[in-house]
Amino acid sequence: MKTTLITASLAASILALTACKKSRTPAGGESTITLLNVSYDPTREFYVEINEAFKKQWQAANGGTLEIKQSHGGSGKQARSVLDGLEADVVTLALAGDIDMLHKVANLLAADWQTKLPDNSAPYTSTIVFVVRKGNPKALKDWGDLVNPGVQVITPNPKTSGGARWNYLAAWAWAEKTFSKDEGKVLDYMTRLFDNVPVLDTGARGATTTFAQRKIGDVFLSWENEAYLIEKEFPGQTEVVYPSLSILAEPPVAVVDKNARKHATTVVAAAYLKFLYSDEAQNIAGNNFYRPRNKDIAKRFVDKLPPLPMVTVDADFGGWAKAQKTHFDDGGTFDQIYSAK
């Protein structure tokens, strides 16, 4: 993972783009099929395992050779890369709004893409937690502690990172609850929070590198799965803290229909995403610290992925379209509080 942590997402995208320009062969036809999965930052290790498991299943049933390429970076940046010509067969991004953009801007997939698979096409979930230094020397236990003087908070840029948008909305939800939805007080809290952010990386993995390898910051606002990967990679150096309130993160997946038709990979691309709901893949998700959708399988991981109060984007923010416009579009609340810095 150390090598992976410092791999530049741009280099990964270039390699993936080169790979996807190579000759493709149709499913059920020639001997080799190449599939490109364009994903967000913290899924690298997860999809390495998923790809190997799916390849074995697919090749046993269909013969031939299946190659699955991966590209990783900040979710919003990855979506823009697809719009700019990165020919993804499937996207597995951090939030629905980034996939919606592929339809709205370039009609690369259908408007109803979320209806193609169960659970709004989100086969696993996650949440946002705190990663602190061993012993938690700044005693950071909840969102209110993050605005204390002298606390450095590491989070990516909400303009480019899906994980950062989940971070932002989780903090906003806590502030709304704490300050009885007094928007002035909520904005003041968010301004003070980002006053404590020394650097905004473009994606979650870059922020992980800043915190874990460069040792900048007292607390990292992290995907739950990334938090435990840090613990595994840097044993004895960090701890995971669950705040009093977080957010249900639902990273969605979709076939990029236009590209899959062009590459004659529609059948294998659809099977690949359907596989994510299988018992085998759900166990791989849990072992990689994602929360399985399968309730029976999720019970096996409850000790390391404990329940906690969570808000949702649909119920508490009016869905991603509204949340994006309110908070992250130009002139939204993030621009308001960050320009003040």
Side-chain angles (χ1 to χ4, degrees):
M1 181 180 171
K2 288 182 179 177
T3 301
T4 306
L5 284 171
I6 61 175
T7 300
S9 61
L10 177 60
S13 295
I14 292 172
L15 287 172
L17 180 58
T18 302
C20 79
K21 286 181 179 178
K22 294 180 180 179
S23 61
R24 304 257 185 160
T25 54
E30 302 298 330
S31 60
T32 301
I33 304 169
T34 301
L35 199 69
L36 176 60
N37 175 8
V38 172
S39 195
Y40 67 105
D41 260 336
T43 61
R44 288 173 171 88
E45 296 78 16
F46 171 56
Y47 277 110
V48 166
E49 291 190 45
I50 287 291
N51 293 349
E52 288 304 308
F54 178 72
K55 281 164 59 177
K56 289 179 182 178
Q57 182 190 90
W58 176 266
Q59 290 170 177
N62 299 279
T65 300
L66 173 63
E67 297 181 6
I68 305 175
K69 306 291 185 180
Q70 298 176 217
S71 171
H72 298 272
S75 185
K77 186 176 180 181
Q78 290 292 81
R80 283 189 288 274
S81 293
V82 174
L83 291 173
D84 289 340
L86 184 60
E87 293 188 358
D89 298 281
V90 300
V91 286
T92 57
L93 296 177
L95 41 86
D98 288 333
I99 301 181
D100 283 336
M101 184 166 61
L102 304 183
H103 166 72
K104 293 175 181 177
V105 175
N107 201 29
L108 293 176
L109 40 63
D112 65 348
W113 62 269
Q114 276 191 291
T115 68
K116 306 300 183 183
L117 290 165
D119 300 309
N120 289 323
S121 291
Y124 44 84
T125 69
S126 190
T127 192
I128 301 304
V129 299
F130 301 169
V131 184
V132 299
R133 304 298 176 189
K134 188 67 176 179
N136 197 3
K138 296 289 180 76
L140 305 174
K141 298 180 180 180
D142 209 352
W143 295 98
D145 301 325
L146 304 189
V147 298
N148 291 342
V151 173
Q152 285 195 326
V153 179
I154 301 301
T155 182
N157 190 337
K159 292 287 192 178
T160 54
S161 166
R165 275 170 268 182
W166 291 114
N167 293 349
Y168 187 96
L169 294 182
W172 185 280
W174 176 88
E176 276 201 330
K177 179 181 178 182
T178 300
F179 302 116
S180 302
K181 296 189 177 182
D182 183 320
E183 187 169 345
K185 291 181 179 179
V186 173
L187 286 170
D188 176 68
Y189 167 79
M190 298 298 292
T191 301
R192 289 187 292 136
L193 175 62
F194 278 85
D195 280 345
N196 281 355
V197 176
V199 57
L200 286 174
D201 293 287
T202 59
R205 189 50 61 89
T208 297
T209 300
T210 295
F211 182 79
Q213 291 192 340
R214 296 173 62 198
K215 300 188 184 305
I216 296 173
D218 302 297
V219 57
F220 173 35
L221 306 186
S222 173
W223 288 98
E224 185 176 36
N225 74 293
E226 189 82 345
Y228 286 108
L229 288 177
I230 293 171
E231 274 201 343
K232 289 175 66 177
E233 183 59 26
F234 301 92
Q237 297 185 34
T238 63
E239 296 179 7
V240 178
V241 173
Y242 283 84
S244 65
L245 179 74
S246 194
I247 192 165
L248 178 64
E250 300 177 286
V253 303
V255 176
V256 185
D257 296 324
K258 185 175 181 179
N259 292 341
R261 286 194 297 268
K262 176 182 177 182
H263 305 145
T265 57
T266 298
V267 172
V268 66
Y272 177 68
L273 297 187
K274 185 177 179 181
F275 175 73
L276 294 172
Y277 293 84
S278 69
D279 288 356
E280 182 178 8
Q282 291 285 290
N283 273 298
I284 292 172
N287 285 325
N288 281 270
F289 308 103
Y290 285 97
R291 295 178 177 236
R293 283 291 198 182
N294 183 304
K295 293 181 180 179
D296 290 333
I297 294 175
K299 291 176 183 177
R300 304 172 190 173
F301 300 95
V302 71
D303 288 343
K304 61 181 178 180
L305 303 173
L308 76 159
M310 297 185 201
V311 299
T312 69
V313 170
D314 286 344
D316 297 276
F317 293 95
W320 267 111
K322 183 177 180 180
Q324 177 69 34
K325 182 178 181 180
T326 300
H327 298 286
F328 309 117
D329 279 355
D330 291 346
T333 64
F334 175 71
D335 283 352
Q336 295 171 38
I337 64 105
Y338 201 69
S339 63
K341 184 172 177 180

